[in-house]
Amino acid sequence: MDLDYPADAEEFRSEVRAVLAEELPAGWTGIGAISGTAEANAFVEDWRATLARRGLLGITWPVEYGGRGLTKLHQVVLMEELAKAGVPAGGHNDTFGIKMVGNTLLRWGTEEQKRHHLPRILSGEDRWCQGYSEPGAGSDLAGLSTRAVADGDDWMINGQKVWTSQAQRANWIFVLARTDPAAPRHRGISFLLVPMDQPGLDVRPIRSATGESEFNEVFFDDVRTPLHNVVGPVNSGWKVAQTLLGYERGEEAATNPILFRAEFDRLVELAREQGLDGDPVVRQRLAQCFAEVEIMRFLGYRVLTGWLAGQGPGPESSISKLYWSEYHRRATDLALDLAGMRAQVVTGRPPLRGFRTDDPGARNTTGSWIGSYLNARAGTIYAGTSEVQRNIIAETVLGLPREPRPAP
């Protein structure tokens, strides 16, 4: 494998560095240096607008939809430079807007849907959240019971979703709903785009162990969306949903290792700060973390090679998701062991987001590491639990017999 970057990627790197030099304040040391949560969130909002203005969001999307038509390799270069500069790669809802529903619309959406929604996602006018999990259908997503019935020119939706991250900031939600209750479990489901600013849609925050309320319950009571807001064929939403989950689990396989490497460097610094960098057991655990981050990087290159060859998300998405989430649990265990009794007293602000690592440039405060530790547990659950990922890998990669499925 040739790991050297081609000339056009290095030219783009120079562009990104120039933008950072022009837009960041003098003496900038990273968003982690901002001590207040409100101030840090305000910076994220302003910085997100800057990225949009400078054409650094959705760079792999076609030009006609607001993107720049660049490759996944350019996206890796962008992430490398943003991580080094200690700035986020987008806003709070961009995981759902750009990475998930945006990429899914490029694959399944009508031309009208693409031209309407994609530019509004990049501009920030529309902010999205994900309506998948339900109280009785988490890992068993096909067991969902939220219903959508055609009523005149609209779908009328009734039901409940749960663990809906960032719903409190969103004005659109993509929803899996059962549109044919007589069909087998994985059929009769449709993928709907639903505006949230309407009567009957109720968002209720859930306070988590971190003390934050990033998750929400969302209730639908005769909520409406036009019939044309179905993505893909009616009653074939399961295929659309699997495409989106592939993007959720694997689209960042080549960029995630950049953030995890930045966090690992901070973990080494924490060991030095605590005077434990010479301890043989600590050194062994750090070496293990380093090896795993490097393996993650090469796994990411393998996934990236597939993307550059025009392949869509496959079982590599599950391998990547399982690998980084289990790694992160072990790495944050080590962080709290290094902090020792100091971890009993929380100082410094928590991470701004509940996904993967803290923001680049975060300080070695107990608030940062404890927040990352708690979020690492969630990482083995969201986007498909580790158990689900192992089943997918066993069945699709190793060819093992499928586990027994409930009767339809």
Side-chain angles (χ1 to χ4, degrees):
M1 178 182 289
D2 183 3
L3 298 181
D4 292 328
Y5 289 81
D8 63 329
E10 293 299 343
E11 291 174 6
F12 179 65
R13 187 187 304 278
S14 297
E15 176 193 336
V16 175
R17 289 177 175 176
V19 170
L20 293 169
E22 293 170 12
E23 298 289 353
L24 290 175
W28 175 258
T29 58
I31 188 173
I34 302 176
S35 58
T37 298
E39 293 80 1
N41 279 322
F43 174 84
V44 171
E45 293 293 320
D46 291 341
W47 182 248
R48 202 265 182 209
T50 298
L51 292 175
R53 175 169 50 83
R54 300 301 296 259
L56 294 178
L57 291 176
I59 62 171
T60 64
W61 290 5
V63 173
E64 58 265 32
Y65 305 128
R68 296 180 55 174
L70 300 178
T71 70
K72 295 290 183 182
L73 186 57
H74 292 86
Q75 184 70 36
V76 172
V77 169
L78 175 62
M79 285 296 300
E80 287 177 344
E81 295 304 316
L82 295 180
K84 290 176 185 176
V87 291
H92 294 289
N93 292 74
D94 283 330
T95 292
F96 309 103
I98 296 177
K99 186 175 78 167
M100 294 187 194
V101 74
N103 284 324
T104 301
L105 284 173
L106 287 172
R107 166 66 177 82
W108 288 97
T110 65
E111 187 63 23
E112 180 183 2
Q113 288 170 341
K114 294 175 188 177
R115 291 195 177 277
H116 176 77
H117 289 290
L118 295 180
R120 294 163 66 95
I121 290 173
L122 295 184
S123 70
E125 183 176 357
D126 288 345
R127 301 188 180 196
W128 288 81
C129 60
Q130 180 181 25
Y132 271 27
S133 295
E134 298 183 5
S139 297
D140 181 23
L141 183 59
L144 63 86
S145 59
T146 295
R147 293 278 305 276
V149 177
D151 183 44
D153 294 330
D154 295 334
W155 294 103
M156 188 166 64
I157 306 168
N158 285 278
Q160 178 188 357
K161 300 294 179 177
V162 73
W163 309 122
T164 311
S165 301
Q166 300 297 340
Q168 74 277 25
R169 289 186 167 103
N171 59 349
W172 280 82
I173 182 171
F174 51 92
V175 176
L176 284 186
R178 194 164 296 283
T179 46
D180 183 358
R185 285 162 45 86
H186 292 82
R187 302 173 187 173
I189 294 173
S190 296
F191 188 106
L192 306 177
L193 310 178
V194 182
M196 297 183 70
D197 185 15
Q198 60 172 301
L201 197 152
D202 185 21
V203 176
R204 302 180 190 177
I206 299 172
R207 187 175 178 86
S208 66
T210 63
E212 305 298 314
S213 295
E214 183 172 356
F215 301 126
N216 302 269
E217 295 177 285
V218 181
F219 294 86
F220 301 84
D221 184 8
D222 289 347
V223 169
R224 291 180 173 272
T225 194
L227 292 176
H228 60 74
N229 275 351
V230 62
V231 179
V234 175
N235 296 328
S236 295
W238 187 254
K239 293 182 179 179
V240 182
Q242 293 305 301
T243 298
L244 184 140
L245 287 173
Y247 288 121
E248 181 180 12
R249 295 167 182 163
E251 200 258 354
E252 292 183 346
T255 56
N256 269 339
I258 299 165
L259 298 176
F260 284 113
R261 178 55 193 266
E263 183 187 66
F264 170 77
D265 291 340
R266 193 157 61 93
L267 190 61
V268 173
E269 185 59 31
L270 178 64
R272 293 192 178 115
E273 291 172 1
Q274 297 299 105
L276 296 171
D277 52 315
D279 183 283
V281 175
V282 170
R283 291 173 66 86
Q284 178 62 35
R285 293 176 70 184
L286 286 171
Q288 180 66 31
C289 287
F290 174 75
E292 292 186 38
V293 170
E294 286 297 286
I295 292 170
M296 192 189 309
R297 179 165 68 95
F298 286 106
L299 174 60
Y301 283 142
R302 179 173 180 174
V303 174
L304 176 62
T305 300
W307 283 104
L308 295 176
Q311 301 173 11
E316 296 88 353
S317 299
S318 290
I319 295 172
S320 174
K321 197 276 173 178
L322 175 65
Y323 191 92
W324 72 252
S325 62
E326 293 292 328
Y327 158 79
H328 200 215
R329 183 175 53 82
R330 293 188 291 273
T332 53
D333 279 345
L334 174 56
L336 261 63
D337 288 346
L338 292 173
M341 292 300 294
R342 185 164 70 96
Q344 300 296 313
V345 180
V346 180
T347 60
R349 66 170 173 81
L352 291 184
R353 56 183 185 167
F355 306 110
R356 291 174 287 281
T357 69
D358 200 347
D359 287 293
R363 293 177 174 176
N364 271 334
T365 63
T366 54
S368 172
W369 281 115
I370 290 173
S372 296
Y373 169 87
L374 295 172
N375 288 335
R377 269 71 193 152
T380 63
I381 300 172
Y382 64 70
T385 67
S386 292
E387 291 78 11
V388 167
Q389 305 310 322
R390 290 188 177 100
N391 282 344
I392 293 172
I393 294 167
E395 295 169 3
T396 62
V397 178
L398 302 179
L400 296 179
R402 295 174 66 88
E403 69 170 349
R405 297 302 202 260

